[in-house]
Amino acid sequence: DAIYYFNRGNNTYDLALLMRKEEGKGEIAQRYYEEAHTDYDRAIDLQHNDSRFYHSKGLAFEGTNREEDFDEAIENFKKAIDLYETFFGAIVHLGNMYHKNNEFQKALQCYSTFLANYSTHEDVYVSRGRVYQDMGNHQFAIMDFDSAIKMNDTYSDAYFHRGVSKLRTRIYKEAIDDLTKALETKTKDNYGIYDALGCCHQALKD
């Protein structure tokens, strides 16, 4: 029945997530994502009014991280929300996809809708702050990163992105403080932090 295919799709999706984390397993992960799509389609064919099925199918398209899958992810998240207006998980992921698709105003609307109902999720403040950052609105970006750090004072990504916004607004010394804090709490993939720190130190020399 529909739940059988839904659960099987979820299990395959979980395998895709595991494979994506392992070096050299990208093609295997993609294959699992495609298998999950098939199972979610079967579930939807059998029971087309369950918002969970569309949400999970959207996640499987989001997970491929292929630009050609962005529209499919968006449509499935929108369908989930059409069926269940307060499906806030789908609203956040729809915001993620709009951000990836450079539809910044739509992304902001999704994140703001979520935060109006759940104001204690630091991840969503960082996500909205990154949209503001990409729009060049660093004042609002910094306010969102501030909110995230107040909730979690070891949140390395919040310090990093706040440091980047301060770098771009020429608040160099504060940017260095944030970027240094990000290094203290982040254990890998630190190249972006070092690059930003280098830009700050060079700007102070100039």
Side-chain angles (χ1 to χ4, degrees), residues 46-61:
L46 291 167
Q47 188 174 324
H48 64 274
N49 61 350
D50 193 316
S51 61
R52 296 172 301 168
F53 300 170
Y54 294 98
H55 175 244
S56 293
K57 186 179 176 185
L59 290 175
F61 276 113

Side-chain angles (χ1 to χ4, degrees), residues 100-116:
K100 288 182 179 181
N101 224 25
N102 294 323
E103 298 180 75
F104 298 137
Q105 291 297 337
K106 291 181 180 179
L108 289 178
Q109 184 177 1
C110 289
Y111 295 138
S112 296
T113 297
F114 178 90
L115 289 169

Side-chain angles (χ1 to χ4, degrees), residues 10-194:
N10 288 341
N11 290 335
T12 308
Y13 172 75
D14 288 342
L15 288 172
L17 291 180
L18 289 173
M19 291 298 102
R20 194 174 69 174
K21 292 177 181 178
E22 294 189 26
E23 189 173 349
K25 298 289 182 68
E27 289 186 10
I28 298 173
Q30 293 293 345
R31 189 161 64 248
Y32 280 134
Y33 282 128
E34 290 167 7
E35 290 178 15
H37 296 157
T38 300
D39 278 334
Y40 293 137
D41 280 337
R42 289 172 176 166
I44 289 166
D45 286 341
L46 291 167
Q47 188 174 324
H48 64 274
N49 61 350
D50 193 316
S51 61
R52 296 172 301 168
F53 300 170
Y54 294 98
H55 175 244
S56 293
K57 186 179 176 185
L59 290 175
F61 276 113
E62 180 181 9
T64 68
N65 208 31
R66 297 184 305 199
E67 193 169 339
E68 60 265 32
D69 288 337
F70 288 0
D71 287 342
E72 286 281 1
I74 287 170
E75 287 308 309
N76 279 281
F77 291 135
K78 286 170 67 177
K79 182 65 176 177
I81 297 163
D82 286 343
L83 290 168
Y84 181 24
E85 187 176 353
T86 56
F87 197 152
F88 292 111
I91 290 170
V92 168
H93 284 281
L94 179 59
N96 294 344
M97 296 313 303
Y98 280 140
H99 188 190
K100 288 182 179 181
N101 224 25
N102 294 323
E103 298 180 75
F104 298 137
Q105 291 297 337
K106 291 181 180 179
L108 289 178
Q109 184 177 1
C110 289
Y111 295 138
S112 296
T113 297
F114 178 90
L115 289 169
N117 291 273
Y118 295 97
S119 61
T120 57
H121 284 251
E122 63 265 30
D123 290 343
V124 183
Y125 279 107
V126 169
S127 294
R128 190 173 69 176
R130 292 183 65 182
V131 176
Y132 282 127
Q133 191 173 70
D134 286 345
M135 294 171 70
N137 191 337
H138 295 290
Q139 179 182 357
F140 278 72
I142 289 169
M143 289 170 61
D144 274 345
F145 301 139
D146 285 346
S147 294
I149 290 167
K150 285 177 183 176
M151 295 176 203
N152 180 357
D153 63 2
T154 62
Y155 197 162
S156 59
D157 282 348
Y159 284 109
F160 168 62
H161 288 292
R162 190 172 72 175
V164 169
S165 278
K166 289 180 177 179
L167 164 62
R168 291 176 181 170
T169 50
R170 301 182 180 182
I171 312 173
Y172 299 123
K173 291 184 178 179
E174 289 186 17
I176 289 171
D177 289 342
D178 279 342
L179 294 166
T180 301
K181 187 71 174 179
L183 277 178
E184 292 173 358
T185 54
K186 194 172 179 68
T187 57
K188 60 180 181 179
D189 300 328
N190 291 329
Y191 301 111
I193 300 175
Y194 284 118

